[in-house]
Amino acid sequence: MKKAYTNAVLTASLAAACLACAFSAPLFAGEDPRYFSNKAVGTTTADFLNLPAGARAAAMGGAYTAIAEEASAVYWNPAGLVQIPKLSAVFMRAQYLEEISYQYAAYAHRLSYDTVLAGSVLMTDIGSITERDLSGGIMPSGSFTPRDQVFTLSYSKAILEFSDKDIDVSVGVSAKYIKSSIVSSAKSYAGDVGIMTYNFGDIPYRLAVTATNMGGGLTYDKESNPLPLTFKLGAAINPFRNILVATDIVLPKQNNPNVLIGTELALTPNELTRLCVRAGLNVQQMHDGIGGLSVGVGATLHFFSLDYAFVPMGELGSTHRISLTFDFPFRSPIFQRRDRTIFTKMKGISFK
């Protein structure tokens, strides 16, 4: 227990130090001092990078940094990919505001008992927009169709040096290729990094830290606009076997710090079936008067999970997300496995 406590403190301290250094780096680099405050709203581009992936996470208000346990971890926290069984895939379609929609797909494959490789693609469809000149007249081209694409490759590894029977640690990194088209096009590259700790105590919990969208900006014409760099601290706890509670502290470059809260209640009629009800809260959206509450349901039958999220956004309208997740073999939640470890061998995967 003493070793586990020491490892937990070491990992948390390391994560906090990395986060503090990364958070302060832009200021030392001479960037706009308005960043990480409400005065920075509108100063970054590529906000589509903040569109949540997966209906389960969206229903929980986005408080998913310390949960991310299937292929969508490519988006939320690549360190969580080590929780998949042998392979995992997720497909999502989201009907956003007005005519805006976006699709997300991710696939993760286990390379060994402690490493996972994954990839994902996100595509947005804004719909057709009439192109006008400065006087309001319609341009000869008639209309244009903005589209965005994000391709991500992720690698996740469980760390042996910090592991014992009470605590495991995983790390993950991602590389992104970003392409955006409005009237003209722009492209950029970015990276994500994440750490997650798994604490197998009487009341199991997970802690996580991520830094996402670290990279150059997008240049549509002459001026380059920065990406929405974001830091997150996350925690998730299972106070009871079928209840999950999570929270994220979000530090976005383009706004004030935010708090996300999510919860999930699961019913298990049998060992291969799960029925879930979820709810979430986004404090910043509630403060801004654009909703802030989210709800959703989900069902898992053997290898397949079907999830739905309803996220109202006040006067802007309501959004809907539906996703299908495939995990092979059946993915038992990490804290419900027979072995108290995230290091996975096919023979060690529990079906109970």
Side-chain angles (χ1 to χ4, degrees):
M1 292 299 293
K2 182 178 180 180
K3 181 181 178 182
Y5 176 78
T6 302
N7 288 339
V9 172
L10 178 61
T11 303
S13 300
L14 177 62
C18 292
L19 183 62
C21 291
F23 181 70
S24 60
L27 297 181
F28 287 113
E31 290 193 358
D32 196 324
R34 296 177 300 169
Y35 289 147
F36 301 100
S37 72
N38 59 4
K39 296 180 180 179
V41 174
T43 59
T44 62
T45 187
D47 196 53
F48 54 86
L49 292 171
N50 294 320
L51 293 172
R56 181 192 182 197
M60 297 182 70
Y64 212 66
T65 303
I67 298 176
E69 57 190 2
E70 74 294 309
S72 71
V74 172
Y75 174 88
W76 296 101
N77 185 352
L81 288 167
V82 297
Q83 298 176 81
I84 71 166
K86 182 174 178 60
L87 59 87
S88 176
V90 59
F91 308 90
M92 184 200 73
R93 175 172 174 79
Q95 188 60 47
Y96 206 54
L97 302 172
E98 298 296 335
E99 298 180 0
I100 302 174
S101 65
Y102 68 97
Q103 296 76 40
Y104 179 84
Y107 176 79
H109 193 93
R110 182 168 295 283
L111 301 179
S112 66
Y113 76 103
D114 65 344
T115 58
V116 173
L117 186 67
S120 73
V121 58
L122 181 146
M123 297 184 177
T124 69
D125 184 356
I126 311 299
S128 180
I129 299 176
T130 301
E131 186 174 1
R132 299 179 183 273
D133 57 27
L134 294 177
S135 63
I138 299 178
M139 298 286 287
S141 57
S143 63
F144 61 97
T145 305
R147 296 183 186 276
D148 308 297
Q149 299 175 329
V150 184
F151 300 92
T152 306
L153 182 64
S154 299
Y155 176 81
S156 183
K157 183 175 179 63
I159 304 300
L160 287 166
E161 296 86 77
F162 293 103
S163 297
D164 59 25
K165 65 180 180 179
D166 295 312
I167 179 174
D168 285 345
V169 180
S170 65
V171 297
V173 294
S174 296
K176 295 178 178 178
Y177 171 71
I178 304 163
K179 182 178 180 181
S180 178
S181 300
I182 304 178
V183 175
S184 57
S185 298
K187 64 180 181 180
S188 183
Y189 300 90
D192 300 345
V193 61
I195 303 173
M196 190 180 293
T197 69
Y198 311 79
N199 302 272
F200 298 88
D202 294 332
I203 301 180
Y205 64 94
R206 285 170 280 196
L207 301 174
V209 58
T210 63
T212 59
N213 304 321
M214 299 179 292
L218 289 174
T219 304
Y220 292 96
D221 187 13
K222 297 180 180 180
E223 183 179 352
S224 177
N225 296 294
L227 299 178
L229 174 67
T230 303
F231 304 101
K232 293 182 181 179
L233 292 171
I237 188 170
N238 289 90
F240 302 99
R241 180 179 176 85
N242 290 325
I243 295 179
L244 176 61
V245 180
T247 185
D248 277 13
I249 298 175
V250 185
L251 304 173
K253 185 173 185 176
Q254 73 280 9
N255 209 337
N256 282 328
N258 188 18
V259 176
L260 310 175
I261 301 172
T263 185
E264 177 183 77
L265 172 63
L267 303 177
T268 53
N270 58 64
E271 60 184 13
L272 297 180
T273 304
R274 289 169 59 86
L275 304 175
C276 299
V277 178
R278 306 177 180 110
L281 173 65
N282 184 314
V283 174
Q284 184 65 55
Q285 288 187 0
M286 180 170 288
H287 179 267
D288 293 339
I290 52 174
L293 297 175
S294 57
V295 294
V297 294
T300 298
L301 180 61
H302 213 166
F303 304 143
F304 295 94
S305 296
L306 182 64
D307 299 298
Y308 168 77
F310 174 69
V311 185
M313 299 185 69
E315 296 181 355
L316 298 178
S318 298
T319 67
H320 306 267
R321 296 170 178 83
I322 186 167
S323 61
L324 178 66
T325 304
F326 174 79
D327 293 296
F328 181 83
F330 174 77
R331 176 176 52 82
S332 178
I334 190 72
F335 291 127
Q336 295 181 18
R337 297 179 185 176
R338 291 193 183 99
D339 298 331
R340 295 164 61 91
T341 178
I342 58 172
F343 296 90
T344 301
K345 295 181 180 180
M346 297 303 296
K347 293 182 180 180
I349 295 177
S350 171
F351 283 75
K352 293 184 179 180

